[in-house]
Amino acid sequence: MGAQKSGSTWVHSYLAADSNADFGPIKEYHVWDSVHLPEMAHYDHRGRSGLRNAGESLLRRALRRSPSVSAVRGALQDDLEGYFDFFKDLLNRPGIALTGDITPAYAGLPASVLETIRDGFAHRGIPMKAMFLMRDPVTRCVSAAQMNRRKSTRTEAVQLDGDLDTAVLAYAQSPESRLRADYERTVTALRQVFAEDQLFFGFYETIFQRDEIARLSEFAGVAYCPEHAERQVNVHAKAEYVGDATQEQLRVIFDPTYNFCAEIYPETKDIWMPEVLNPETLVKTAS
């Protein structure tokens, strides 16, 4: 369930590498977010014709290419019950005991939708667990803005023109940012729906450490492979950076998130950006 830019791609590669795992053709299926979250409507592929999907499927098989991402997503979005059966079919393959849908935008789903997902799998006899990785809110926000500008993505409210500092400050206060990084909302919703032994909460800053990889492996039921931490996934050279003053302004903006996590996860006080000492002066200067 994310958070975005918090290590979910690496976790997917780690879990999918296990011999007993099959996550299907996609990391991010974007089914429940596209259906329930207006901010994610650009991933909504419902209504694609069955004939078009069949034709694409035949062509891609003939060319020995992987399935069309849009076709797979559209088919599952059109048939939400079929979503559960899709993963059940993966689990029915010989030797497969683990599958999943690692879509960071699911962090924005309300508890009622999480209950629907939980119950859909439960009705098919499939035990479900949920994972949520968090990252220092300032560095996550900056990384997300850098990614969007690098890809020229216009769907997440990141300004593509002008300086990065201005773009990041605007993005930090947007609904798109809150959807992906309101840790308190996501943690609260998950704990309303799942028992503690069904939940894994981790941090980008520590997930590559051996003890955390061991904890992740035990939780997911996969073989412990600490050497996988050396594999870099989704790493890109940075072409632009934000200034110290902008980072301090972001720290003030995200202060409620830092406070929530410090209360629930005290270790974040040591691995995340410290509190700004004189926020009033900073705000006056910024304005």
Side-chain angles (χ1 to χ4, degrees), residues 148-163:
N148 277 270
R149 286 164 69 93
R150 183 180 69 251
K151 293 182 176 181
S152 296
T153 304
R154 298 184 179 274
T155 55
E156 292 187 22
V158 176
Q159 300 171 12
L160 303 184
D161 302 320
D163 63 274

Side-chain angles (χ1 to χ4, degrees), residues 109-146:
L109 294 175
S112 58
V113 177
L114 296 178
E115 288 177 352
T116 297
I117 300 171
R118 178 201 63 192
D119 294 345
F121 284 118
H123 291 159
R124 289 160 177 81
I126 300 172
M128 178 184 168
K129 293 183 175 181
M131 300 176 54
F132 184 55
L133 298 180
M134 291 163 274
R135 182 179 183 176
D136 183 311
V138 169
T139 58
R140 191 220 71 82
C141 180
V142 173
S143 180
Q146 289 171 326

Side-chain angles (χ1 to χ4, degrees), residues 234-255:
N234 223 9
V235 176
H236 301 274
K238 303 296 186 290
E240 52 184 353
Y241 299 87
V242 299
D244 291 343
T246 297
Q247 292 187 48
E248 291 181 344
Q249 288 177 254
L250 290 170
R251 178 60 175 81
V252 173
I253 291 171
F254 293 124
D255 195 54

